[in-house]
Amino acid sequence: VFTFNTLVGKAKDYESARAVLKEMQAAGISPNVVTFNTLVDKAKDYESARAVLKEMEAAGIPRDVFTFNTLVDKAKDYESARAVLKEMEAAGIPPDTYTLSGLLSRDLALVDPDDLLRWYWDLAYHPQNPMEACVASYRRAGQIERALVICLHYPHLPAARKLVRGNWEASLTYFHTVLNRDPSDGDGNYALGIALIEMSRATEAIP
């Protein structure tokens, strides 16, 4: 099986990888999780990847975190990626940082950031790093204010600092608005302080 798995991995494209799979099965060698995961990875699109997943299930091969992470990467949009995450949880496989980063790198233009944060914080595992992808996704979509909602809670992340440097007026306006509503807001004060430091106005960040 190792020989054929290596050939599948070195195949130039999905069709070539499937041809190796046929040779493998003709030789009486059953594909394993590595074989199928490689096919999922080489699949040309999300639909092809899902088709491989069905073959995998029919063969009785258990899916693993790599299987699901690859599906998340190939998902055509945020909703499809969220559906994969639900399947993953139903299979008893917890998402890792790679899973969550892949999910939050989808186009989030139509996703409310407050709803996203509530969902994310309810997860048993919700590391900070995937929020980098989230901020970057909103920024790519031109949704600066939505990105700032995320930056309010994760202002120390490199992606948040970059956003603030490139949109300092919008950033100061947003963080001041938060503090006008509640001057004692810890996240607002912290975010504003980091924003001022990024703008080389550190003395203004001193209480």
Side-chain angles (χ1 to χ4, degrees):
V1 70
F2 177 80
T3 305
F4 281 104
N5 282 348
T6 302
L7 287 171
V8 170
K10 289 184 176 294
K12 62 181 180 180
D13 53 33
Y14 180 59
E15 286 72 21
S16 300
R18 290 209 64 90
V20 175
L21 176 64
K22 287 183 180 179
E23 287 183 56
M24 186 178 188
Q25 292 168 327
I29 299 173
S30 299
N32 60 15
V33 66
V34 175
T35 319
F36 281 111
N37 280 347
T38 306
L39 283 170
V40 171
D41 187 44
K42 286 186 176 291
K44 54 191 175 183
D45 52 36
Y46 182 62
E47 286 70 24
S48 298
R50 298 264 358 157
V52 174
L53 188 67
K54 288 184 179 179
E55 291 180 64
M56 192 175 185
E57 293 171 345
I61 304 296
R63 298 160 293 176
D64 61 13
V65 68
F66 182 85
T67 316
F68 286 108
N69 284 351
T70 307
L71 279 174
V72 167
D73 279 346
K74 290 188 179 292
K76 54 190 175 182
D77 52 36
Y78 174 74
E79 292 304 325
S80 298
R82 274 286 298 270
V84 173
L85 190 64
K86 287 181 181 178
E87 289 182 62
M88 191 175 189
E89 293 169 340
I93 300 173
D96 60 13
T97 300
Y98 189 92
T99 319
L100 297 168
S101 293
L103 170 67
L104 297 177
S105 67
R106 304 296 95 189
D107 184 356
L108 301 177
L110 300 178
V111 180
D112 182 272
D114 291 310
D115 290 342
L116 187 151
L117 284 170
R118 279 191 290 271
W119 166 79
Y120 192 71
W121 291 335
D122 277 344
L123 294 176
Y125 178 64
H126 48 270
Q128 296 184 20
N129 285 349
M131 285 294 125
E132 292 261 18
C134 185
V135 171
S137 179
Y138 280 124
R139 179 176 54 79
R140 285 194 304 272
Q143 301 278 347
I144 302 304
E145 186 161 337
R146 289 189 168 194
L148 287 169
V149 174
I150 307 299
C151 293
L152 174 66
H153 303 284
Y154 300 92
H156 56 287
L157 294 177
R161 290 173 179 267
K162 179 178 179 179
L163 182 86
V164 167
R165 287 195 301 272
N167 301 272
W168 64 270
E169 288 187 79
S171 300
L172 287 182
T173 298
Y174 177 73
F175 297 142
H176 277 302
T177 298
V178 170
L179 290 172
N180 286 338
R181 288 197 301 263
D182 180 5
S184 65
D185 188 294
D187 287 337
N189 280 293
Y190 181 44
L192 178 60
I194 287 184
L196 289 170
I197 290 170
E198 287 297 316
M199 297 169 202
S200 300
R201 293 163 58 179
T203 55
E204 297 177 48
I206 300 173

